[in-house]
Amino acid sequence: RRGPVQVCDRALSRLLGVRCIPYGEELMRRPDESAAPMSPSEQARAAGKVVLAPLLSGCIESSVSNRAEAQRFYGIDKLAAVEAKLGANPVARALGPGFAANASRNFIMASSSFVVTPVLYQRLYPQEKKDAQSLFWFGLGVNIFAGNAIAITQQALWGRALDYAAAGGGRPISYAAVVREGLAAEGSAAFITPTKWVARVLMNAPVQGTLPWFYNEVLPLGEGRVLGAARQISAALGGGPRAV
């Protein structure tokens, strides 16, 4: 499996002793109804895993991208001035301001593409209509009408949080104050409007919305060869026997 969500899903599934999220050809098959019902403990572990996997993935993605996004938002010089005023520690400086809102947005989009879409498609989509084309449009629809409809609120929160942080030359972000001031000034329009949603969809949906199709239909085509080659290279470098 490829991508942070799949890596986190596989690791957490092994750690917690639960099944992985459906992937690849699994989506085109009927759910296994012959499996024994999960115990309450297993249900709790499985529910925790489907939240933790995209949450960890979102945090990983934001730890790489948020500082660069903040630099683009402020400009390099202004970001440096805000951080100097805040006296940010090395970890906070590496993550960048507004990390929590950024990670929340990425968590929502990862959940939409890699948890909600495959699980709903496998379990609820009519079996006789399952194919690559239907997965493409199903994933795009979930992304547009669910994922982005929620994620736009976090994108707006992130922008307002950065404006809040820059006020007076620099101050710590209080998300409660950001939400309170936004609602007081503009109501719900501070965080979601049709215009914000359409702009987000036009920017995000063509790529993010097609990821479920790409990861489950295109990526598996070459996955075996790539993993086989990686095992051979690893064995050669390690001096062990080559995988066949």
Side-chain angles (χ1 to χ4, degrees), residues 13-242:
S13 295
R14 288 177 177 174
L15 178 65
L16 298 174
V18 296
R19 285 174 288 186
C20 292
I21 295 168
Y23 172 73
E25 292 182 358
E26 295 175 71
L27 299 187
M28 301 302 165
R29 298 195 294 263
R30 295 182 185 276
D32 184 7
E33 298 178 353
S34 64
M38 291 192 295
S39 67
S41 173
E42 290 173 321
Q43 291 177 358
R45 295 199 305 273
K49 192 264 301 197
V50 298
V51 173
L52 282 174
L55 178 60
L56 289 174
S57 173
C59 290
I60 292 169
E61 183 178 352
S62 291
S63 69
V64 173
S65 67
N66 183 60
R67 182 173 175 78
E69 292 183 46
Q71 285 181 337
R72 188 166 62 247
F73 183 92
Y74 284 136
I76 295 176
D77 293 338
K78 186 174 180 179
L79 175 60
V82 169
E83 289 178 330
K85 180 71 176 291
L86 292 174
N89 62 56
V91 173
R93 189 179 293 271
L95 296 178
F99 175 82
N102 190 284
S104 177
R105 180 202 66 197
N106 289 334
F107 161 67
I108 291 166
M109 296 313 302
S111 298
S112 169
S113 294
F114 300 109
V115 178
V116 175
T117 293
V119 170
L120 291 184
Y121 185 84
Q122 187 202 37
R123 293 181 176 275
L124 301 180
Y125 204 84
Q127 188 66 31
E128 66 278 6
K129 296 182 179 180
K130 286 183 178 179
D131 56 25
Q133 185 177 14
S134 65
L135 177 60
F136 178 93
W137 290 111
F138 184 84
L140 196 60
V142 171
N143 174 271
I144 291 173
F145 297 107
N148 273 306
I150 302 172
I152 189 58
T153 64
Q154 301 308 293
Q155 181 70 18
L157 177 63
W158 178 79
R160 286 180 171 272
L162 264 60
D163 285 336
Y164 182 94
R171 59 177 173 173
I173 295 173
S174 167
Y175 285 102
V178 172
V179 172
R180 186 169 56 249
E181 291 175 7
L183 292 176
E186 301 179 46
S188 62
F191 301 101
I192 186 168
T193 65
T195 301
K196 285 185 174 71
W197 175 72
V198 169
R200 173 77 185 173
V201 165
L202 291 176
M203 176 185 70
N204 179 268
V207 175
Q208 184 83 34
T210 58
L211 279 179
W213 166 79
F214 177 81
Y215 269 88
N216 291 285
E217 290 296 323
V218 178
L219 195 62
L221 296 177
E223 188 176 31
R225 292 188 181 93
V226 172
L227 292 178
R231 283 193 292 267
Q232 287 185 331
I233 293 171
S234 177
L237 293 176
R242 295 193 177 195

